[in-house]
Amino acid sequence: MAERITRINPEQLHATPGYHHITVVEAGRTAHLAGQCPLDRHGDLVGPGSLDAQVDQVVANALTALAAVGAGSEHVVRSVIYVRSDERDALGAVWRRLTESALGPGFTTASTLLGVAQLGFSGQLVEVDLTVALPD
């Protein structure tokens, strides 16, 4: 499967903190995960007020969703990370916690990190949207 995913950083573009500017996926099946939120299986918010606790729950949920389609973090080909903050330090902290987690390999691919004013659930601070190239 790894040979079907190519990650590229053209030397004419700026250096990145771990992600790649371009991800190419050869023909195959893909899965588009809904935005993974910091909710437990009962729909309750985990870690009110804590970015770290919410990131950890999002990672756990994303790994569960990936496993449900027979994929792992290495199969992620695109990520969008939403953080309810306009503070650069908060965005950086979320990025570091995600890249150091079990989901970390998924963030070496094409990725976007956004600070937003509001997310869907009351008290929600982070959400991660993933696209996956499914293994054969």
Side-chain angles (χ1 to χ4, degrees), residues 89-110:
D89 289 345
L91 275 68
V94 168
W95 176 257
R96 283 186 298 280
R97 191 149 186 107
L98 286 168
T99 60
E100 293 170 1
S101 75
L103 191 58
F107 300 104
T108 64
T109 191

Side-chain angles (χ1 to χ4, degrees), residues 5-25 77-79 95 106-112:
I5 301 171
T6 305
R7 294 167 175 89
I8 303 168
N9 274 330
E11 62 183 55
Q12 299 87 344
L13 296 178
H14 67 85
T16 68
Y19 67 90
H20 286 79
H21 285 284
I22 303 164
T23 303
V24 178
V25 180
V77 296
R78 176 85 172 114
S79 66
W95 176 257
F107 300 104
T108 64
T109 191
S111 188
T112 301

Side-chain angles (χ1 to χ4, degrees), residues 5 18 20 31 40-41 44-45 56-57 59 71 73 90 95 109-110:
I5 301 171
H20 286 79
D40 65 19
R41 67 178 309 186
D44 296 323
L45 181 72
D56 293 348
Q57 185 65 45
V59 166
S73 58
W95 176 257
T109 191

Side-chain angles (χ1 to χ4, degrees), residues 73-131:
S73 58
E74 71 276 14
H75 300 112
V76 172
V77 296
R78 176 85 172 114
S79 66
V80 181
I81 304 153
Y82 304 92
V83 182
R84 187 171 182 232
S85 179
D86 62 356
E87 295 182 22
R88 187 179 193 94
D89 289 345
L91 275 68
V94 168
W95 176 257
R96 283 186 298 280
R97 191 149 186 107
L98 286 168
T99 60
E100 293 170 1
S101 75
L103 191 58
F107 300 104
T108 64
T109 191
S111 188
T112 301
L113 173 62
L114 300 167
V116 298
Q118 184 67 40
L119 289 166
F121 294 96
S122 179
Q124 181 181 356
L125 302 174
V126 66
E127 185 165 330
V128 175
D129 180 5
L130 302 173
T131 302

